[in-house]
Amino acid sequence: MRLLASGGWCFWNPLGKIETIDALDFIVALSPDRRHNRLYIQATELLLNRIVIENYLRIATAHLLLKQGGCLLHSGGFIHDGLAWLFVGISGAGKTTLTKIAHEGGATILSDDINVLFRDTEGQFLATPVPFAGEFGRQHNMKRDASGGIPVGGVYRIEKSDRLSIKPLATVSQHVTLLSNMPFVNNIPEFTDDVDTVVSALADRHPLQTLQFSKEMQFDELADGLEKSRMEQQHAA
């Protein structure tokens, strides 16, 4: 690697073609096997910025998971009754609010920002705690006291409302929602087929529903609603 006079970066990799991702004055270079990745920085002082290291790990993790049939899902998540419940939504939809409700209700928090999903030998999706955190996680210095893979109970697109409501979501909306919440891999043309495969498998195993909730809602009401929707989906399948 060398820094060009024009300010651009030039890479050479003996393993073959690499992909590069630019962000925050650093570049992540991804090797073909996704295991020999490199972080290039413009100044050593950047290593003192925790977000640089964290984003590097996020990018590398997303690509490695995709190669293995999993994904890094931009979502909040918690564990309740041995199942992982994940919720996605646009900025301001309420991921931090819902995380707070779950936390106050005694649930184990996976993350309020991004979660790892991988698949076992039978194709079941499992979630696992990661150190990546958003606003809530950083404020509360969350301890990751869960380990291993937690079976996914459901995935929901969230919206704020004045009451709890869980409704089906059209198949095309499910795919668009999942695709838009798989950062670092969903905008690289070479990965389109792999991303589509993961999106289809996740939507097939855990059809997304729309979860409307109130910030005044108690966790017991939320937990009962999620379990009821899970049982209804299992019965329909």
Side-chain angles (χ1 to χ4, degrees):
M1 183 276 297
R2 60 191 175 92
L3 184 61
L4 300 179
S6 63
W9 298 84
C10 181
F11 296 89
W12 174 80
N13 188 338
L15 296 177
K17 180 183 177 183
I18 62 174
E19 292 89 21
T20 61
I21 298 178
D22 301 80
L24 298 177
D25 298 321
F26 69 87
I27 288 181
V28 177
L30 302 159
S31 63
D33 65 2
R34 304 288 183 270
R35 293 181 180 273
H36 298 84
N37 305 313
R38 297 290 184 269
L39 169 64
Y40 297 97
I41 58 175
Q42 292 184 344
T44 56
E45 290 79 10
L46 288 174
L47 294 178
L48 299 177
N49 186 348
R50 61 172 290 176
I51 197 64
V52 170
I53 300 300
E54 181 172 320
N55 276 343
Y56 163 66
L57 293 174
R58 290 183 183 218
I59 293 170
T61 299
H63 285 78
L64 184 57
L65 283 168
L66 183 62
K67 185 177 179 65
Q68 298 175 347
C71 69
L72 197 63
L73 188 67
H74 183 209
S75 59
F78 62 84
I79 302 169
H80 180 65
D81 283 348
L83 295 174
W85 304 90
L86 306 172
F87 37 96
V88 301
I90 61 175
S91 178
K95 290 190 292 295
T96 298
T97 300
L98 201 54
T99 300
K100 181 179 179 182
I101 291 172
H103 177 62
E104 292 177 346
T108 297
I109 304 302
L110 283 167
S111 173
D112 63 327
D113 183 56
I114 203 158
N115 289 282
V116 161
L117 291 180
F118 64 97
R119 304 178 74 181
D120 62 15
T121 55
E122 297 180 354
Q124 180 181 16
F125 280 91
L126 306 174
T128 187
V130 291
F132 309 139
E135 176 186 346
F136 181 86
R138 294 191 179 102
Q139 286 179 352
H140 290 263
N141 191 25
M142 300 301 301
K143 295 181 179 179
R144 312 301 173 186
D145 53 357
S147 60
I150 312 298
V152 173
V155 185
Y156 300 84
R157 186 182 72 178
I158 59 174
E159 299 174 354
K160 292 179 180 177
S161 180
D162 56 356
R163 62 185 180 86
L164 177 66
S165 175
I166 299 177
K167 303 176 182 178
L169 193 60
T171 300
V172 64
S173 295
Q174 295 182 43
H175 285 230
V176 170
T177 299
L178 289 174
L179 179 63
S180 62
N181 284 283
M182 291 185 182
F184 314 121
V185 297
N186 57 5
N187 60 350
I188 300 178
E190 292 84 352
F191 299 161
T192 298
D193 290 343
D194 291 337
V195 172
D196 286 347
T197 296
V198 174
V199 166
S200 297
L202 182 55
D204 182 60
R205 285 266 181 171
H206 302 285
L208 270 73
Q209 299 184 79
T210 297
L211 168 64
Q212 296 179 328
F213 72 99
S214 164
K215 64 181 181 180
E216 287 82 22
M217 178 181 60
Q218 297 298 307
F219 179 68
D220 287 346
E221 181 185 1
L222 172 63
D224 289 345
L226 294 178
E227 179 60 22
K228 180 180 178 180
S229 73
R230 186 179 75 89
M231 297 301 294
E232 290 175 347
Q233 283 192 334
Q234 286 187 341
H235 179 74

